[in-house]
Amino acid sequence: MAAQASTDNNDHLVRSSDSQHPANLIPELCRKFWTLGWVTGTGGGTSIRDDDLVYLAPSGVQKELMKSEDIYVLSLAQQSDPKNRIYLRSPPSLKPSQCTPLFLAAFTKRGAGCCIHTHSQWAVLITLLLENSPQSQNKNLFEINNIEQIKGFGKGFQKQGALGYHDTLRIPVIENTPHEEDLTESLEEAMDKYPDTYAVLVRRHGVYVWGETVHKAKTQAESLDYLFQLAVEMKKLGLPWLSDIS
Amino acid sequence: MAAQASTDNNDHLVRSSDSQHPANLIPELCRKFWTLGWVTGTGGGTSIRDDDLVYLAPSGVQKELMKSEDIYVLSLAQQSDPKNRIYLRSPPSLKPSQCTPLFLAAFTKRGAGCCIHTHSQWAVLITLLLENSPQSQNKNLFEINNIEQIKGFGKGFQKQGALGYHDTLRIPVIENTPHEEDLTESLEEAMDKYPDTYAVLVRRHGVYVWGETVHKAKTQAESLDYLFQLAVEMKKLGLPWLSDIS
Amino acid sequence: MAAQASTDNNDHLVRSSDSQHPANLIPELCRKFWTLGWVTGTGGGTSIRDDDLVYLAPSGVQKELMKSEDIYVLSLAQQSDPKNRIYLRSPPSLKPSQCTPLFLAAFTKRGAGCCIHTHSQWAVLITLLLENSPQSQNKNLFEINNIEQIKGFGKGFQKQGALGYHDTLRIPVIENTPHEEDLTESLEEAMDKYPDTYAVLVRRHGVYVWGETVHKAKTQAESLDYLFQLAVEMKKLGLPWLSDIS
Amino acid sequence: MAAQASTDNNDHLVRSSDSQHPANLIPELCRKFWTLGWVTGTGGGTSIRDDDLVYLAPSGVQKELMKSEDIYVLSLAQQSDPKNRIYLRSPPSLKPSQCTPLFLAAFTKRGAGCCIHTHSQWAVLITLLLENSPQSQNKNLFEINNIEQIKGFGKGFQKQGALGYHDTLRIPVIENTPHEEDLTESLEEAMDKYPDTYAVLVRRHGVYVWGETVHKAKTQAESLDYLFQLAVEMKKLGLPWLSDIS
């Protein structure tokens, strides 16, 4: 599945003394995410796009132990054939992440600069609560409003500014598939149906969150996990996710 | 909204080798608060007053990554016009926090030396539980008594000593507004109505806590969050917040 | 209340390069306990006895920031008059902990080498659950059996070996008082009534745990907090604390 | 119970500057597990096998403070008599872990390279929930399906590949015994009955998890704890562990 683009391994692409270089940022983010329970047991992942270059955490690595040399690099422009993905740089004994086409969807369809995939239990519980909700409710859409943290999200694709306190945050839910890469089509459909969303929940699996920059993707992922956790606690306490305050 | 007071940027105001200097303390506190889940996704903030000078965390920064050079400084004496706030020092590419007038209220009306704003989920859940409580109950006041941790609070404005174990801790709740700075009036009203409180809850948003010193503000914020979490757990277990022990 | 025993301040008593010296261990333990939520907002405390000398964390200090020079030292032999406690070493601008007579009770009545006082929310919730339990139940005794972690406790005062899996762990509960030092009498009564207990719960307040050594006190405090948390979760899930397995 | 194999103490077996040496890895893993609440109060343990040599954490040590010199070493080949276990290296003042025969079962019956034993509260709660489930349910088997994290487990003993999203993960439960070593027989029976399992739950006690390598054992232990926690939260929210999605 992964073809090597060059005879040398282009290690220079992941070697930098700059702490803000993607190959240094991804391991640092993953260490932080591990402490949050987002990438337990090699689950989840993170990718950063710098112009045409995409940096990706590999598959099956303990995320709190990841190093710069574990990072894959590919060129967006060269991805003509999704069945034969070309990597500019592949770590010798690792496998590319099955999340790759999903990260690429955020980069190509939304111009995102960073995409974060977590297995946060709060995200999974939200999708389970929706699945088990009454017939009358849309089981494929998480909605919450009138919570200050909603202001942590941008208004949407190519729009200026952030959501307001009274706005309803809507995160679509797609069904999980046996092979993660097979999520790509439904993820892209969800992006088309909810063009302003910065995240898609995957039922019984987790969430994909992105943003124009690493800063945006990371703080939106945090805000979203905060809202998922709050919403689960609200459910335990019999409090509704939507209210009529205005 | 933010006018620059001087042609140079007064960077000396935030440069100190003293770990207890406000420009060093605020980042350290914010790192700690991030691990507590109080300032997730750039939410929340902290401000310290040293005599006439007020040091403020900026808006929109990842709180666990904040640095001394990100700190705003203003002079209390020069704040004649709230529409045209004068900063002695503004970080080049950041925005001042919308919490600023709320922090200033704690400093000017209560002589506080530090004010902490968190988005703690426990605080938000308390305000939601009150909002959904029976008609007969005051939805704008959190009350708890007969818990040892209540002794972590001072008796009140210009009073000596701490609350006792049997005293009832009362924290007023104000309604949230779309723009955080618009909370100022109702926050000040709550301070007037409950002159001895060291904190005001903001519905569906979080809490503001202050104290005469950094030490007092921080330990009162911790004690309050402890009580909020305890009260949420008590609700799950069917235990009342107020009791008749004496 | 605190009289100074010497004109110099005996600072040598708290200065040591040995990481296992009580004046170094107490701050290290308190930092750890802060991360566990046991000593939030200056609550709780720790004391170590080395032969005749007792080392005590002070009152009102942020426990995660405590330093060796903050430690009080007293001699057990010289404590003839509890109203006029003599300290061999007092930090200049701090106050002795109100827990002092309770720590001393563990040292003098049980020969303990270390005593830990926490405000753990799990401990407080256990006392609240007991208080609200049906009339038929003893509201002053926490009992749990058939949980492996019970083996983390010694059999009792001057007894060899540890509790077994099938043994019932019994922790007495005493009522809280407005002044912490006034707990001393009822704590000593509980020690007399349950001579083999290594801990006493204080209603709506927390727990005191001790052990022959720092290692024993610390690991018993951890095992006990584990059991308190487990018991609260069991209550949420409708699972009984006592069972008939044998 | 522990006989010394050599007059010198074979300290060279636990001295290495390689961070991946078992005597360095075990303390590092235990520090991590302590922060996860898996080895509270000296509970739990970890063992690594390197070819014929087995490295074991000792009994009764604070797991976050463990050092390389605390590690026991034995030779699998020399274990003819379980009543008279021969250690190539024994730390001077410690006791071998009662978990030893259980770790050895994973190594000899399953060819495991690492075995982790935790007292995780989530594991204990799962066994309690099963114990209290209706008569019609198998109280000795935890089953969950259609959760992405299930893919964190291998298909089973001497099988290639990982479980799929739709596969049902099955973890057998054995009853606890007063002496941990007496669990060996029923653990081995569970291994025989469920030859593909990588873990066995012990009622009211915790879980044993193993894997071909340290990496596999650790990530499977994390994935399993994630699923246990999720399953407990699902129970609180009235969500079933098994579903018919396919």
Side-chain angles (χ1 to χ4, degrees):
Chain A
M1 178 182 290
Q4 194 70 30
S6 55
T7 48
D8 75 56
N9 198 14
N10 279 325
D11 285 347
H12 71 280
L13 291 173
V14 298
R15 282 196 196 130
S16 167
S17 59
D18 177 4
S19 67
Q20 301 306 299
H21 187 282
N24 293 331
L25 274 179
I26 290 176
E28 188 202 324
L29 288 169
C30 284
R31 268 193 296 280
K32 205 176 276 188
F33 297 164
W34 188 84
T35 69
L36 297 174
W38 291 2
V39 291
T40 298
T42 83
T46 295
S47 179
I48 295 175
R49 181 181 66 83
D50 183 8
D51 201 354
D52 176 59
L53 292 185
V54 173
Y55 299 80
L56 297 133
S59 174
V61 164
Q62 295 178 55
K63 294 296 189 292
E64 82 278 20
L65 301 179
M66 197 190 301
K67 305 190 207 80
S68 301
E69 56 257 39
D70 299 337
I71 301 292
Y72 281 83
V73 187
L74 55 73
S75 154
L76 268 189
Q78 295 179 22
Q79 304 305 313
S80 51
D81 178 4
K83 299 281 179 206
N84 188 21
R85 191 153 291 127
I86 299 169
Y87 289 92
L88 299 180
R89 201 253 164 188
S90 297
S93 55
L94 294 171
K95 284 198 296 184
S97 171
Q98 283 210 343
C99 310
T100 303
L102 301 150
F103 292 143
L104 295 184
F107 298 150
T108 56
K109 285 181 74 80
R110 288 297 171 265
C114 176
C115 187
I116 295 164
H117 171 44
T118 90
H119 284 194
S120 164
Q121 298 202 8
W122 308 113
V124 173
L125 287 169
I126 291 295
T127 68
L128 290 167
L129 285 167
L130 286 170
E131 184 183 80
N132 280 262
S133 61
Q135 284 293 344
S136 59
Q137 197 178 324
N138 184 343
K139 295 176 194 305
N140 302 319
L141 190 62
F142 170 68
E143 293 182 291
I144 194 164
N145 67 6
N146 294 311
I147 301 289
E148 178 71 9
Q149 196 76 27
I150 289 168
K151 290 159 80 171
F153 294 86
K155 269 193 182 154
F157 186 47
Q158 298 179 330
K159 291 182 178 169
Q160 294 295 314
L163 289 182
Y165 166 62
H166 292 312
D167 289 334
T168 298
L169 178 73
R170 293 187 174 85
I171 309 291
V173 184
I174 62 175
E175 301 304 322
N176 200 26
T177 52
H179 300 286
E180 191 146 9
E181 51 206 1
D182 295 337
L183 289 171
T184 313
E185 197 179 337
S186 58
L187 184 92
E188 292 183 345
E189 283 173 11
M191 284 174 166
D192 290 339
K193 190 165 175 191
Y194 297 92
D196 290 328
T197 192
Y198 285 103
V200 174
L201 280 159
V202 185
R203 185 104 57 208
R204 297 170 167 274
H205 179 156
V207 69
Y208 281 84
V209 193
W210 58 87
E212 284 84 6
T213 61
V214 173
H215 173 93
K216 287 282 186 70
K218 188 262 196 179
T219 58
Q220 292 192 148
E222 280 187 17
S223 291
L224 197 53
D225 204 55
Y226 171 104
L227 289 168
F228 290 157
Q229 180 177 1
L230 186 70
V232 170
E233 293 296 308
M234 288 169 81
K235 188 62 76 177
K236 287 186 193 164
L237 292 160
L239 301 164
W241 295 344
L242 291 171
S243 60
D244 292 333
I245 305 160
S246 64
Chain B
M1 179 182 288
Q4 195 72 30
S6 55
T7 48
D8 74 58
N9 198 14
N10 280 325
D11 286 348
H12 69 279
L13 292 173
V14 298
R15 281 196 196 129
S16 167
S17 59
D18 177 3
S19 68
Q20 301 306 299
H21 186 282
N24 293 330
L25 274 179
I26 289 175
E28 188 202 323
L29 287 168
C30 284
R31 269 193 295 281
K32 204 175 278 186
F33 296 164
W34 188 84
T35 69
L36 297 174
W38 290 3
V39 292
T40 298
T42 84
T46 296
S47 179
I48 295 175
R49 179 180 68 83
D50 184 7
D51 200 355
D52 176 61
L53 293 184
V54 173
Y55 300 80
L56 298 133
S59 175
V61 165
Q62 294 178 55
K63 294 297 189 291
E64 84 278 20
L65 301 179
M66 196 190 302
K67 306 192 206 80
S68 301
E69 55 258 40
D70 298 337
I71 301 293
Y72 282 83
V73 187
L74 56 71
S75 154
L76 268 189
Q78 295 179 23
Q79 304 306 312
S80 51
D81 177 5
K83 299 282 181 205
N84 188 22
R85 191 154 293 126
I86 299 168
Y87 289 92
L88 300 180
R89 201 253 164 188
S90 297
S93 54
L94 294 171
K95 284 199 296 185
S97 170
Q98 283 209 343
C99 310
T100 303
L102 300 152
F103 292 144
L104 295 183
F107 299 150
T108 55
K109 285 182 75 81
R110 289 295 172 267
C114 176
C115 187
I116 295 164
H117 171 45
T118 90
H119 284 195
S120 166
Q121 297 202 9
W122 308 114
V124 173
L125 286 169
I126 291 294
T127 68
L128 290 167
L129 285 168
L130 285 171
E131 185 183 81
N132 280 263
S133 60
Q135 284 294 343
S136 58
Q137 196 177 326
N138 184 343
K139 294 174 194 308
N140 303 318
L141 189 63
F142 170 68
E143 294 182 290
I144 194 164
N145 66 7
N146 295 312
I147 301 289
E148 178 72 7
Q149 196 78 26
I150 291 169
K151 290 159 80 171
F153 292 87
K155 268 193 183 155
F157 186 47
Q158 298 180 329
K159 291 182 177 169
Q160 295 295 314
L163 289 183
Y165 167 62
H166 292 312
D167 288 334
T168 298
L169 179 73
R170 294 187 173 86
I171 308 291
V173 185
I174 62 174
E175 301 305 322
N176 200 25
T177 52
H179 300 287
E180 190 146 9
E181 53 205 0
D182 296 336
L183 289 170
T184 313
E185 198 179 338
S186 57
L187 184 91
E188 293 182 345
E189 283 172 11
M191 284 175 166
D192 290 338
K193 192 167 173 189
Y194 297 92
D196 290 328
T197 192
Y198 284 102
V200 173
L201 280 159
V202 185
R203 184 105 57 209
R204 295 167 169 276
H205 179 154
V207 67
Y208 281 84
V209 192
W210 58 87
E212 283 86 4
T213 61
V214 173
H215 172 93
K216 287 281 186 70
K218 189 263 196 179
T219 58
Q220 292 192 149
E222 279 187 18
S223 291
L224 197 54
D225 204 55
Y226 171 104
L227 289 167
F228 290 157
Q229 180 177 1
L230 185 70
V232 171
E233 293 296 309
M234 288 169 81
K235 189 63 76 176
K236 287 184 192 165
L237 292 160
L239 302 165
W241 295 344
L242 291 171
S243 60
D244 291 333
I245 303 161
S246 65
Chain C
M1 180 183 288
Q4 195 71 30
S6 56
T7 47
D8 73 58
N9 197 14
N10 280 325
D11 285 350
H12 70 279
L13 291 173
V14 297
R15 280 195 197 131
S16 168
S17 59
D18 178 4
S19 68
Q20 301 305 300
H21 185 282
N24 293 330
L25 274 179
I26 290 175
E28 188 202 322
L29 287 169
C30 284
R31 270 194 294 281
K32 204 175 277 187
F33 297 163
W34 188 84
T35 69
L36 298 174
W38 290 2
V39 292
T40 299
T42 84
T46 294
S47 179
I48 294 176
R49 179 180 68 83
D50 184 8
D51 200 357
D52 176 61
L53 291 185
V54 173
Y55 299 80
L56 297 133
S59 175
V61 165
Q62 294 178 55
K63 293 295 188 293
E64 84 278 21
L65 301 178
M66 196 190 303
K67 305 190 208 82
S68 300
E69 56 257 39
D70 298 338
I71 302 292
Y72 282 83
V73 187
L74 56 73
S75 154
L76 269 189
Q78 297 179 21
Q79 303 306 311
S80 52
D81 178 6
K83 298 283 179 202
N84 187 23
R85 192 154 291 128
I86 298 168
Y87 289 92
L88 300 180
R89 202 255 164 186
S90 297
S93 55
L94 294 171
K95 284 199 295 183
S97 170
Q98 282 210 345
C99 310
T100 303
L102 301 152
F103 292 143
L104 295 185
F107 299 149
T108 56
K109 285 182 74 82
R110 288 297 171 265
C114 176
C115 187
I116 295 164
H117 171 45
T118 90
H119 284 195
S120 165
Q121 297 201 10
W122 308 114
V124 173
L125 286 170
I126 291 294
T127 68
L128 290 167
L129 284 168
L130 286 170
E131 184 183 82
N132 280 263
S133 60
Q135 283 293 343
S136 58
Q137 197 178 325
N138 185 343
K139 294 173 193 305
N140 301 319
L141 188 64
F142 170 68
E143 294 182 290
I144 194 163
N145 65 8
N146 295 311
I147 301 289
E148 178 72 7
Q149 196 77 27
I150 289 169
K151 290 158 80 172
F153 293 87
K155 269 193 181 153
F157 186 46
Q158 297 179 330
K159 292 181 176 167
Q160 295 293 314
L163 289 182
Y165 167 61
H166 291 313
D167 289 334
T168 299
L169 178 73
R170 292 187 174 87
I171 309 291
V173 185
I174 62 175
E175 301 304 323
N176 200 24
T177 52
H179 299 288
E180 191 146 9
E181 52 205 0
D182 296 337
L183 289 171
T184 313
E185 196 179 341
S186 57
L187 184 92
E188 293 182 344
E189 282 172 11
M191 285 174 166
D192 290 339
K193 191 166 173 189
Y194 297 91
D196 289 328
T197 192
Y198 285 101
V200 173
L201 280 159
V202 184
R203 185 104 58 208
R204 296 169 168 275
H205 179 153
V207 68
Y208 281 84
V209 193
W210 57 88
E212 283 85 4
T213 61
V214 173
H215 173 94
K216 287 279 186 71
K218 189 263 196 180
T219 59
Q220 293 192 149
E222 279 187 20
S223 291
L224 197 54
D225 204 55
Y226 171 104
L227 290 167
F228 290 157
Q229 181 177 0
L230 185 72
V232 170
E233 293 297 307
M234 287 169 82
K235 189 64 75 174
K236 287 185 192 165
L237 292 159
L239 302 164
W241 295 344
L242 291 171
S243 59
D244 291 334
I245 305 160
S246 63
Chain D
M1 180 181 291
Q4 196 69 32
S6 56
T7 47
D8 74 56
N9 198 15
N10 279 325
D11 285 348
H12 70 279
L13 291 173
V14 298
R15 281 196 195 130
S16 167
S17 58
D18 177 3
S19 68
Q20 302 305 299
H21 186 282
N24 293 330
L25 274 178
I26 290 175
E28 188 202 323
L29 287 168
C30 285
R31 268 193 296 281
K32 205 175 275 187
F33 297 164
W34 187 84
T35 69
L36 297 174
W38 291 2
V39 292
T40 298
T42 84
T46 294
S47 179
I48 295 175
R49 180 180 68 82
D50 184 7
D51 201 357
D52 176 60
L53 292 185
V54 173
Y55 300 79
L56 298 132
S59 175
V61 165
Q62 295 178 55
K63 293 296 189 292
E64 83 278 20
L65 301 179
M66 197 190 301
K67 304 191 208 80
S68 299
E69 56 256 40
D70 298 336
I71 301 293
Y72 281 83
V73 187
L74 56 73
S75 154
L76 269 188
Q78 296 178 22
Q79 304 305 313
S80 51
D81 177 6
K83 299 283 181 203
N84 188 22
R85 192 154 291 127
I86 298 169
Y87 289 93
L88 300 179
R89 202 255 165 188
S90 298
S93 54
L94 294 171
K95 284 197 296 182
S97 170
Q98 284 210 343
C99 310
T100 304
L102 301 151
F103 291 143
L104 295 184
F107 298 149
T108 56
K109 285 182 74 82
R110 287 298 170 265
C114 175
C115 187
I116 296 165
H117 171 44
T118 90
H119 284 195
S120 164
Q121 298 201 9
W122 307 113
V124 173
L125 286 169
I126 290 296
T127 68
L128 290 167
L129 285 167
L130 286 170
E131 184 183 82
N132 281 260
S133 61
Q135 283 293 342
S136 58
Q137 197 178 325
N138 184 344
K139 295 175 193 309
N140 302 319
L141 190 63
F142 171 68
E143 294 182 290
I144 194 163
N145 66 7
N146 294 312
I147 300 290
E148 178 73 8
Q149 196 76 28
I150 290 169
K151 289 159 79 172
F153 293 87
K155 269 193 182 155
F157 186 47
Q158 298 180 328
K159 292 182 176 168
Q160 294 294 314
L163 289 182
Y165 167 61
H166 292 312
D167 288 334
T168 298
L169 178 73
R170 292 186 173 87
I171 309 291
V173 185
I174 61 175
E175 301 305 321
N176 200 25
T177 52
H179 300 287
E180 191 145 9
E181 51 205 2
D182 296 336
L183 289 170
T184 313
E185 197 179 339
S186 57
L187 185 92
E188 292 182 345
E189 283 171 11
M191 285 174 166
D192 290 339
K193 191 167 173 189
Y194 297 92
D196 290 328
T197 190
Y198 285 102
V200 173
L201 280 159
V202 185
R203 185 104 58 209
R204 295 168 169 274
H205 180 154
V207 68
Y208 281 83
V209 193
W210 57 88
E212 284 85 5
T213 60
V214 173
H215 173 92
K216 287 280 187 69
K218 189 262 197 181
T219 58
Q220 293 191 146
E222 279 187 19
S223 291
L224 197 54
D225 204 55
Y226 171 103
L227 289 167
F228 290 157
Q229 180 177 1
L230 186 71
V232 170
E233 293 297 306
M234 288 169 82
K235 188 62 75 174
K236 286 185 193 164
L237 292 160
L239 302 164
W241 295 345
L242 291 171
S243 59
D244 293 332
I245 305 160
S246 65

